[in-house]
Amino acid sequence: MFVITGVTGHTGAVVADTLLTAKAPVRVVVRDAAKGEPWRARGAQVVVADVGDAAALTAALRGAQAAYLLVPPRPTAAEPLADNRAVAAAQAAAVAAARVPHVVLLSSIGAQHADGTGPIVSVNVAERVLAPVTHLTAIRAAYFMENWAGALGMLGQGVVPTFVPRGLTMPMVATKDIGATAAAALLEGPRGDVRVELAGPRDYSADDVAAILSTLTGRAIAASDAPLDAVVPTFTSFGMSPAVAALYRELYVGVAGGRVAFEGGAHRQLRGRVDLAAVLAPLVARA
């Protein structure tokens, strides 16, 4: 039995879909029973639990040969890092209590660092508390291509703003590739303590994003550097708490300074198949 969390989000949905298509036994964990019904209709077991509730998650994990876990974003949290540390601790306790032999964790590029990476610090914590209690495969994913959706509001003005310096080329990955990689790792089984550094087919800059958007829209789009001092007011205008917005400012500083980068070394390095144009096309259509 494979236990999958995050099925109401992009990556968990791909993991569950891939496993069900492969006729593997799947149990999905949801907070709202109604959101589990489409999965039940496809043959999955459905358990209602909060991934930060150790007792409920332990029950959900009983009998699992492997699990896909993540630390869900909490965009309105007043103390996001403290909250996420508590979630990671609860997950580790549940995995240990349920004796789950293999966990695939959604982690992030830059997760080797315990500070200076904004919200990525939370998955550094998750890696460190899960590794001692199970065989851990941490998918250290690059910058999500889908994150560019939040920068498309000015396409009508011919601009795509960016908090990442325009000329900086960096790895990005589609959530579809993340989910597919996680599902493959679950099916492959435990291989000890593994870190997978996952990027898309090639790296991109904000200027590359603008060029792709120009092709998709049929008009000239230019990338425009936005000042870092605009990060917090911009993100709070989207409904994030000031504390979460401040973490994203730290993230962008870490990207520009090279701290948010793959560790390299002996870690497994993979390239996905989905290119940026394929991700941006439906986002543009909805913008």
Side-chain angles (χ1 to χ4, degrees):
M1 179 64 68
F2 295 100
V3 177
I4 312 302
T5 64
V7 293
T8 58
H10 293 292
T11 64
V14 174
V15 176
D17 176 70
T18 303
L19 293 176
L20 287 168
T21 299
K23 308 300 183 183
V26 171
R27 179 186 300 149
V28 301
V29 180
V30 293
R31 295 178 64 184
D32 179 350
K35 292 184 177 179
E37 287 309 308
W39 298 106
R40 191 190 304 277
R42 293 188 58 189
Q45 294 181 10
V46 178
V47 176
V48 178
D50 188 313
V51 296
D53 181 330
L57 187 58
T58 297
L61 290 172
R62 293 287 186 198
Q65 69 188 84
Y68 176 69
L69 298 180
L70 49 77
V71 180
R74 285 173 167 75
T76 60
E79 298 184 22
L81 293 184
D83 288 355
N84 288 343
R85 280 194 295 271
V87 169
Q91 291 182 351
V95 167
R99 298 183 179 180
V100 181
H102 183 208
V103 167
V104 175
L105 173 72
L106 175 57
S107 187
S108 172
I109 185 173
Q112 67 271 23
H113 299 300
D115 56 38
T117 58
I120 296 171
V121 169
S122 295
V123 287
N124 170 274
V125 172
E127 286 190 15
R128 288 190 287 111
V129 298
L130 283 166
V133 298
T134 187
H135 293 287
L136 178 65
T137 302
I139 308 295
R140 289 184 175 174
Y143 185 84
F144 287 15
M145 292 178 179
E146 287 81 359
N147 287 344
W148 286 100
L152 302 183
M154 297 178 66
L155 285 183
Q157 301 173 47
V159 172
V160 57
T162 175
F163 291 119
V164 176
R166 286 178 47 200
L168 178 64
T169 299
M170 65 180 190
M172 304 181 194
V173 67
T175 54
K176 184 176 180 179
D177 277 331
I178 298 170
T181 300
L186 289 167
L187 291 170
E188 181 182 54
R191 293 292 185 270
D193 192 22
V194 176
R195 303 293 179 272
V196 178
E197 298 183 336
L198 178 64
R202 70 178 183 91
D203 296 349
Y204 301 89
S205 68
D207 284 333
D208 293 326
V209 173
I212 292 169
L213 291 171
S214 297
T215 299
L216 291 172
T217 62
R219 58 178 299 174
I221 305 295
S224 175
D225 287 321
L228 286 177
D229 285 347
V231 172
V232 172
T234 298
F235 280 55
T236 53
S237 75
F238 296 156
M240 289 187 182
S241 70
V244 173
L247 287 176
Y248 277 95
R249 187 187 192 284
E250 181 177 274
L251 169 67
Y252 289 119
V253 171
V255 171
R259 188 166 182 79
V260 178
F262 286 132
E263 188 173 15
H267 296 323
R268 188 176 181 185
Q269 292 155 359
L270 295 179
R271 289 277 184 178
R273 298 181 178 181
V274 181
D275 66 24
L276 185 56
V279 172
L280 291 178
L283 298 178
V284 169
R286 294 194 296 268

